[in-house]
Amino acid sequence: MQTFNSNGDSPSVSATTGEPQKPLDVIMDDDLALEIVTSNVDSPLVSATTSRPRKPSDAGIGEDSSLETVRKNHASYRQAQLVEEKAGIVQSITLHKSFSSPICRLPTEILSEIFLYCLPEDDHFLHTSRLAPMLLTKICRRWREVAVGLPMLWCRLQLEVGYDNWQQRAFCYDFWLKRSGGCPLSLRLKSRTDWGELRSLLQPYVQQISSLSLDFISCDGPFMVEDFHALKELTIHQYVIYDLARATSRTLSNLPVNLHRINMLDLCFNRKQLDFFTDSAWAHLTHIEITINGLDAFTRILRLCPNLCSLMMFGVFYPIQTPEPVTHANLQSLRMSWSVLWSIEEEDPGLFNVITLPNLRVLEVSNAAWWPHKSFMAFLTRSKCPLERLIFGRGVWTTERERAEYATLVPSFEFIADPKINFDEDGE
């Protein structure tokens, strides 16, 4: 479309008829790209196609229609502009508020340390968005980036099989473990069926697992760990009574050579069950927590574990049936708590008559009823051990004279008195 502006020196010429035209003013709206032509002199409007004068009524109607269209278009465009400007202002305010928060200005290193303190106190974490570390990924983009990029947040996990949709669980577990970034893993496995699916899931991470807890809930198959070469700690829980040989003995028969600590307090072993294991099966163990049925099981443990440094025993301590002397050169800490099934009268179960522990430094006993003072003193003389600490908890029956003797022999002697029992009169 062509337009010709009057400059006051020469008249405009019609583009169609070649006849002179009256001076015109042209107004351009840059936003809408529309042209509005108006006359600045008192002359009739001229048709753009016929060059003949238009009637005033026609000119008014056309002008009103054009102006109305311009106003509507301009209003729509301006409204869109305002909406866009408002969105920009809101975004700017939000960004300003976020950067004004002190925690958003913290360096990544400091924020990472805070995240570590947000972790639950449980030994193993559940995969839930209600608790850290999953909760930390739901707050904002930066927190998610920091949490996902911090492997130490993803090193502990409880995995369960046999509850609901395993495929969905397996996907979430695998995603979690990948975020550990090769760090040592501490896992707790719970199975209601068999260990096959969990074993397959963990295969890529076997050499990361340093601590493992196995819960035999209603599963009677073994979980073989001989190829877990990074494993240093193993805990076994058993909630339902099964044949021990079928449920756990195969697991305990083939242990990785780097495994040093094992907790079997949920299991109860007698001498016959311990004879199932070869002498080399537990040779590398240094720390054991176990429940036994009879003191003959204790002497068998000492023979199975020549490198044992620490032993905690619970259970029923029947008197020794096979008094075979055993010497253990490495045991330094012995903690015992047992239920007494023999006579209420003073009786020696025979434990200290058959063992010699030349390196024993800590002895803690509870619930032992009558304490075998004479055989214990003979044990100390025979062992010549550097005993540094002797602790008698509740349920250990001794006299004041005996306790005074222990106090002179042991640098640190602690006696927790049972207010309901007093044998001092009998000891005089």
Side-chain angles (χ1 to χ4, degrees), residues 192-204:
R192 292 184 178 272
T193 54
D194 62 67
W195 298 105
E197 292 174 321
L198 275 174
R199 193 65 169 75
S200 299
L201 173 67
L202 295 178
Q203 191 59 41

Side-chain angles (χ1 to χ4, degrees), residues 34-310:
L34 297 176
E35 297 175 358
I36 306 169
V37 183
T38 59
S39 172
N40 60 354
V41 295
D42 296 331
S43 62
L45 295 176
V46 180
S47 170
T49 56
T50 65
S51 72
R52 291 177 299 185
R54 290 185 295 176
K55 295 181 180 180
S57 59
D58 294 337
I61 294 173
E63 183 178 352
D64 291 344
S65 177
S66 298
L67 289 174
E68 183 65 23
T69 301
V70 170
R71 280 195 292 267
K72 287 182 179 181
N73 290 337
H74 185 73
S76 298
Y77 179 80
R78 187 57 183 156
Q79 183 178 10
Q81 271 191 322
L82 292 174
V83 170
E84 184 177 354
E85 290 175 4
K86 179 181 179 182
I89 294 172
V90 170
Q91 183 179 4
S92 177
I93 293 174
T94 303
L95 186 63
H96 176 75
K97 287 183 177 179
S98 66
F99 280 106
S100 65
S101 175
I103 196 164
C104 292
R105 297 195 301 269
L106 288 176
T108 300
E109 294 77 8
I110 302 299
L111 194 59
S112 298
E113 288 293 326
I114 294 174
F115 283 0
L116 293 175
Y117 281 98
C118 294
L119 294 175
E121 296 181 357
D122 302 319
D123 291 335
H124 305 93
F125 306 151
L126 297 175
H127 189 287
T128 172
S129 60
R130 299 189 301 272
L131 299 172
M134 290 297 296
L135 178 61
L136 299 173
T137 67
K138 309 295 183 181
I139 306 304
C140 65
R141 179 181 298 177
R142 181 168 184 252
W143 280 33
R144 177 179 176 80
E145 292 174 352
V146 173
V148 170
L150 186 59
M152 292 181 65
L153 291 178
W154 311 96
C155 292
R156 291 184 280 169
L157 179 62
Q158 177 172 301
L159 301 89
E160 303 174 353
V161 63
Y163 291 83
D164 47 29
N165 189 335
W166 167 247
Q167 296 300 326
Q168 181 179 354
R169 282 179 176 270
F171 177 81
C172 295
Y173 292 154
D174 186 58
F175 212 66
W176 180 299
L177 295 173
K178 284 178 179 176
R179 291 175 176 175
S180 65
C183 290
L185 294 173
S186 177
L187 306 180
R188 183 170 188 173
L189 313 182
K190 290 187 173 185
S191 176
R192 292 184 178 272
T193 54
D194 62 67
W195 298 105
E197 292 174 321
L198 275 174
R199 193 65 169 75
S200 299
L201 173 67
L202 295 178
Q203 191 59 41
Y205 311 99
V206 162
Q207 304 312 321
Q208 289 181 239
I209 301 175
S210 62
S211 177
L212 184 63
S213 178
L214 302 176
D215 289 23
F216 289 79
I217 298 177
S218 57
C219 175
D220 59 0
F223 186 93
M224 307 309 294
V225 295
E226 69 272 15
D227 59 337
F228 285 56
H229 300 302
L231 188 63
K232 294 180 173 58
E233 299 182 12
L234 175 64
T235 301
I236 296 181
H237 299 282
Q238 184 169 296
Y239 300 100
V240 182
I241 302 300
Y242 283 97
D243 180 1
L244 184 63
R246 184 176 59 172
T248 59
S249 290
R250 283 189 59 196
T251 300
L252 296 171
S253 298
N254 298 280
L255 300 176
V257 295
N258 292 323
L259 178 64
H260 300 302
R261 294 176 175 268
I262 189 167
N263 182 333
M264 300 177 286
L265 289 176
D266 279 353
L267 310 180
C268 186
F269 293 88
N270 57 32
R271 173 61 183 265
K272 182 179 179 181
Q273 291 166 332
L274 290 173
D275 284 339
F276 173 83
F277 304 106
T278 63
D279 291 344
S280 61
W282 294 2
H284 47 277
L285 297 178
T286 59
H287 298 75
I288 293 180
E289 299 176 32
I290 193 171
T291 299
I292 65 172
N293 187 7
L295 285 172
D296 287 305
F298 172 48
T299 58
R300 176 58 179 160
I301 291 172
L302 294 181
R303 289 188 172 90
L304 280 173
C305 309
N307 293 303
L308 195 62
C309 297
S310 174

